[in-house]
Amino acid sequence: MLLERDDVWSTAAAAAAAARSGNGGWILLAAAAGMGRTAALDAIVRRETADGAMRAVYARCAPEEREFPFGLVRQVFPEDDDVPFSAPAGPDEQRVSHRLVTRLARSAAERPVLLAVDDLHHADEQSRRWIGYLARRVAELPVLLVLTECLDQSDPTPPAPAHGMSVALRSLSASAVTRLARTAGLDEEQTATCVEAGAGNPALVHALVADLGEGPLPRPPSVPARSRYHDTLTGWLRHRADPRSRHVCVTLAVAAEGTRTQATTPGADPSTGVTPGTDPSETSQAATSEATTSQPTTSVGTTTQATTTQATTATTAAPATAPNHLDLLELLDRTADLSPHRHPPSARSVRRLGALMRHPLARAAVLAAAEPDETAALHARLAELLDQGGAPATAVAGRLLHLDRPTGGWMARALAEAAEEAASAGRVAEATAYLRHALSGPLDADRRATLSLRLGALELPHSAAAGIRRLSTGLELHTDVRERAAAAPALSAALVAGRRTAHALRVLHQAGRGADDDELVQVLQALGALISSHDAAAWRSAVAGLRALAPTAPATIEPLVCGLITEYEAGAGLCSAAEALRRVRPRLAAPVDPRLRTAWLGSAATLLQWADCLPEAHRLADRCLPAPPTPPDLTDAGLQCLLSVRAEAALWAGDFTRVLAENSPLVEASAGQGVRLPHLVAMVATAHSEAGRRTEAWEVLAAPGPSGADSSWEWNELSYARALLHAADGDWQSALDEHLACGAGQDARDFVSPVATPWRSGAALALVRLGRPAEARELAEEELRHARTWGTARTIGRALRAHAAAVGGRLALESLTEAVESLRPSPAPVELTEALVDLGRAHIEAGNGRKGRACLREAHTVAQRLAVAAPGAGDGAPPLAGRLLGVAEEALREGRVRGRTRAGTGCAALTAAERRIVGLAAGGHSNAQICAALHLTRRTVESHLTSAYRKLQVTRRTQLAAALAQDADGTASTATTTAVTTPTGAPG
């Protein structure tokens, strides 16, 4: 079906009529490959010779006969033995041309002749000159000369403008393609593919229509990839295209292919794929005009677009076809030396083919026909041009990935730069691909070591084994002692992340053993002390070494030495927060050895966080840590510390959303990969819990697995987080066990302060719930003593609240009041909310409902500020969720109910105070002992016991235990909870 060729038929009919009347002429059908030149020529011959008024003489040129003199002429005059087989001299060639034209004129005088010559661009030079000779004389002959020529081969030269005309074979419009597709029964999506991938080229459109009638393209893996469309393009490229056209197609396909790591050309608009610096109007305007009206010649490569939604494409936007500082012609000129054909292609051909190469089906076909060496050479040249033009390194490196291995030093440099660009954008897989490729090429030992170390750092979070192996290789490649010593901390930090602290310390020890530089040895010693904090036994020894080093430490090393010693003393209860700040703040302005910078800032930030200087701690962390999505470098022990500080400072400030946003990606990426980050896991889990998502919190906590023999402080943080989750679930015995496990781990490190993990407070709250107030009080008082030593409002207020839960009565109100007054001006919103809830409940229990409800309302206000959007909340004002918000709302509901009806008898009838006193009495305590334990008067105790006897329907003290046993489930007592008997110490 030949559509939209009416202008061709009318032009040919008029010319044939003129020729039959003795006024001959010529017609040149100029079009690119696949535009139907031969089909149109055959149709003209059939139409004009059907009535016998003209005789057809047909000649088809072939590239194989281009070097045969008069090969085309011999097809026109097959019986003329006088046509020479060699190129004659000038006068002789003119004589031959004249004789042959005269012979044709005699034959045409008998019956007009239609001389049809197909593919004139393949004709030999002598025959082309004869065609021109004939065209200049054809006006006086009853001869119609109809020629076809491929625009991809050259810009055609009309034989004799005065005696004929060139007729362009237009690309099929979108409406014509749609008609063909719908006639074949294709759906809208398939029709759109025909419009775009066919590019108005009849051969490609017909191939696509046939292919899509059998199923979608590209084929699924289970179906052979070959198709008529694919074969049409590859067949032409392999067998019929001349070297110049082949080079144009392959070059443009490679240029349009983009990179292996990005869907679009770097810097391109993802919606259009057009690179800055190119003129998108040429493509878009041509495509639009082609879709709406028939324009002069288009060919393989002219993109057409339907103007209706029915003809929208189902494929992704294609990348730009050339480096952003080159147009297509310049690109082909800069790659011309890679082509066996040195004559430049026509600008029109380049534009047409470039448009087609934007479609992935066309690119796939062309690249399938190209040789691997051919495409690799083009990618290398494109990479070089991009590099010279200042393109982004990722654009250069994306081309280099197509090579088997980089061969030049500039290639390794470009790949390394691209890796940093990709890593900064959070594309770690892409960054590692660049570095692996760089390492596959020739490099000197130092360069290979540097790239290996960087690759190991990127691989570490995703595979501890791979990252450590790569870092070990980089360390071994360094032969110089100083270089090895500089590389050793990276491997050591990676081993710590893999929970192999002993091995990490050995690496640093071996690196320093061969060094003859005292300052280098001291740097490694300081870094080793930081690493030692992950091993309980090594930590004590390291601190002793630091104390010996401190008096003589160089000025650039001393800040870290001081910081680590202060960390130990703060944990051991030997230092106050004020003293820590007096040590840290002046040293922040002091010069520090660059090799120790992050380690020192990590230590300083830790102490600032512990001292509740959260904004300062955040600033130090943000100064060194990259913002998401850039991954942190876990091969830097100082950055590991800063990661922990940033997470915990945000948690302490009640910014749970920030904790999750900054740390969840790393925790999720490293889960199950050999990199265990217990502290970050604890922070993320706690943030989930505080946000009211306990299921997610437990899932996160399961990731690190058991600690085994690892005695890092991080596992103590994990135990503390588990204790909080157990308490939130109401599993008080498990909560107590985890708090005690945390305490045992901290004691092994001489860490008695509640500044990091206030396990005693948590254990005391659990013990109160379990009915063991004496043990709770002992732990709470010890906690309070250590908290007052450190001296921050957070630690004191938290300890006071646990103390209130343990002692009850008037002392509980006093402790909670002090806790709230201390916490109000501090950056401790979580602790403040919990203390306010407990104080409000205590006031209400004591009969002061007004004060109690005021505290509860204040707690609710603070809890609202800490709440996060509930999961699944809409775009409007989202409902809020959070553990503390639930606690505050529950307390408000309880506090607003006055004169609640209690059971008349049994344990359910007991007040909280009565329950506490009865519990002690049943345990064998005398009235005097109860007075001392609860700080109550003897009369108060006796009054409560009298009331309790009546409610429990007992008459003797020895009957109390049996009466309490009947209410073992504790349901009734839970319903009347107060801040004294049931603290909000744990979530719930």
Side-chain angles (χ1 to χ4, degrees), residues 757-932:
T757 52
W759 64 271
R760 295 182 193 83
S761 291
L765 295 173
L767 286 166
V768 170
R769 284 283 192 149
L770 294 170
R772 296 154 63 180
E775 297 172 69
R777 181 171 181 173
E778 182 180 351
L779 285 175
E781 289 178 348
E782 183 181 358
E783 182 95 323
L784 184 56
R785 186 173 64 255
H786 289 302
R788 293 195 188 280
T789 298
W790 181 245
T792 59
R794 183 189 306 272
T795 55
I796 295 172
R798 193 164 46 202
L800 283 168
R801 184 171 153 270
H803 182 261
V807 300
R810 177 178 51 80
L811 286 181
L813 272 173
E814 293 175 359
S815 292
L816 288 170
T817 301
E818 182 185 352
V820 168
E821 291 174 353
S822 175
L823 288 167
R824 273 198 181 106
S826 74
V830 173
E831 290 78 3
L832 174 60
T833 304
E834 292 173 331
L836 282 167
V837 169
D838 285 4
L839 180 57
R841 282 176 163 161
H843 276 308
I844 292 172
E845 178 64 23
N848 194 340
R850 184 180 59 80
K851 279 189 176 181
R853 283 187 290 276
C855 289
L856 295 179
R857 282 192 291 270
E858 183 182 353
H860 188 263
T861 300
V862 178
Q864 281 186 314
R865 292 200 298 267
L866 299 180
V868 298
D875 294 332
L880 298 178
R883 176 186 72 84
L884 291 171
L885 187 60
V887 169
E889 288 175 347
E890 180 184 358
L892 277 172
R893 285 193 297 270
E894 294 174 356
R896 289 193 183 107
V897 178
R898 298 185 180 181
R900 288 179 294 174
T901 301
R902 295 181 181 271
T905 59
C907 290
L910 297 176
T911 67
E914 290 168 350
R915 177 69 183 230
R916 177 182 294 275
I917 291 170
V918 166
L920 293 174
H925 290 71
S926 67
N927 286 2
Q929 290 172 326
I930 296 173
C931 291

Side-chain angles (χ1 to χ4, degrees), residues 715-733:
W715 295 107
N716 303 329
E717 297 272 1
L718 198 68
S719 293
Y720 184 72
R722 286 199 189 101
L724 296 181
L725 264 290
H726 281 306
D729 291 340
D731 186 352
W732 295 103
Q733 185 58 55

Side-chain angles (χ1 to χ4, degrees), residues 161-521:
H163 306 309
M165 63 186 303
S166 295
V167 179
L169 299 182
R170 301 176 189 77
S171 299
L172 297 180
S173 66
S175 59
V177 176
T178 301
R179 177 183 168 191
L180 284 170
R182 292 299 175 82
T183 301
L186 302 187
D187 61 24
E188 292 184 4
E189 184 176 338
Q190 293 171 324
T191 298
T193 300
C194 291
V195 170
E196 298 227 348
N201 183 287
L204 296 180
V205 169
H206 282 288
L208 275 170
V209 168
D211 284 337
L212 292 171
E214 300 174 356
L217 293 177
R219 305 288 191 217
S222 58
V223 178
R226 292 173 63 83
S227 68
R228 296 174 184 84
Y229 179 88
H230 183 277
D231 291 346
T232 299
L233 274 175
T234 56
W236 171 75
L237 200 65
R238 286 171 174 161
H239 306 299
R240 296 191 301 278
D242 67 292
R244 177 173 57 186
S245 296
R246 175 188 172 87
H247 176 68
V248 170
C249 282
V250 175
T251 300
L252 297 183
V254 168
E257 186 183 17
T259 70
R260 286 187 176 177
T261 55
Q262 294 172 291
T264 58
T265 299
D269 181 341
S271 63
T272 63
V274 177
T275 307
T278 62
D279 182 6
S281 62
E282 178 179 337
T283 300
S284 59
Q285 291 172 2
T288 303
S289 63
E290 192 60 43
T292 55
T293 184
S294 295
Q295 296 295 329
T297 304
T298 57
S299 63
V300 174
T302 303
T303 301
T304 60
Q305 296 179 349
T307 57
T308 64
T309 57
Q310 286 79 10
T312 55
T313 180
T315 58
T316 57
T321 56
N324 58 11
H325 64 293
L326 298 175
D327 60 25
L328 298 182
L329 287 174
E330 186 178 358
L331 170 66
L332 291 165
D333 180 62
R334 301 286 289 273
T335 59
D337 60 309
L338 302 177
S339 169
H341 196 293
R342 297 307 174 89
H343 296 294
S346 67
R348 181 166 44 188
S349 173
V350 171
R351 284 195 298 271
R352 288 192 298 265
L353 293 173
L356 179 63
M357 289 307 105
R358 291 188 180 95
H359 199 282
L361 289 177
R363 291 201 302 273
V366 170
L367 294 172
E371 297 296 330
D373 291 345
E374 184 180 14
T375 57
L378 284 167
H379 277 297
R381 179 60 56 82
L382 287 169
E384 185 177 12
L385 294 176
L386 287 165
D387 188 56
Q388 292 172 352
T394 49
V396 179
R399 298 287 177 182
L400 296 176
L401 289 182
H402 291 269
L403 309 184
D404 287 340
R405 60 198 296 262
T407 55
W410 71 270
M411 293 183 179
R413 185 259 308 156
L415 287 163
E417 291 176 355
E420 295 307 316
E421 282 187 19
S424 296
R427 304 193 303 272
V428 177
E430 181 183 334
T432 56
Y434 292 141
L435 289 176
R436 290 190 190 107
H437 198 53
L439 287 167
S440 69
L443 297 166
D444 61 57
D446 287 343
R447 184 62 170 157
R448 186 173 297 279
T450 300
L451 294 182
S452 295
L453 291 169
R454 182 60 179 133
L455 177 55
L458 290 174
E459 289 178 330
L460 182 64
H462 307 277
S463 173
I468 290 171
R469 209 163 33 238
R470 192 80 68 175
L471 291 163
S472 298
T473 299
L475 181 61
E476 292 167 0
L477 285 168
H478 282 305
T479 56
D480 182 76
V481 172
R482 294 185 64 84
E483 291 174 344
R484 288 179 65 85
L491 175 58
S492 181
L495 289 166
V496 168
R499 317 324 307 173
R500 296 161 61 181
T501 306
H503 189 180
L505 292 172
R506 285 198 299 273
V507 167
L508 288 178
H509 177 70
Q510 291 169 359
R513 189 169 51 191
D516 55 0
D517 184 336
D518 291 341
E519 186 169 326
L520 176 59
V521 172

Side-chain angles (χ1 to χ4, degrees), residues 16-33:
R20 286 192 293 269
S21 65
N23 298 315
W26 57 264
I27 297 175
L28 175 63
L29 303 180

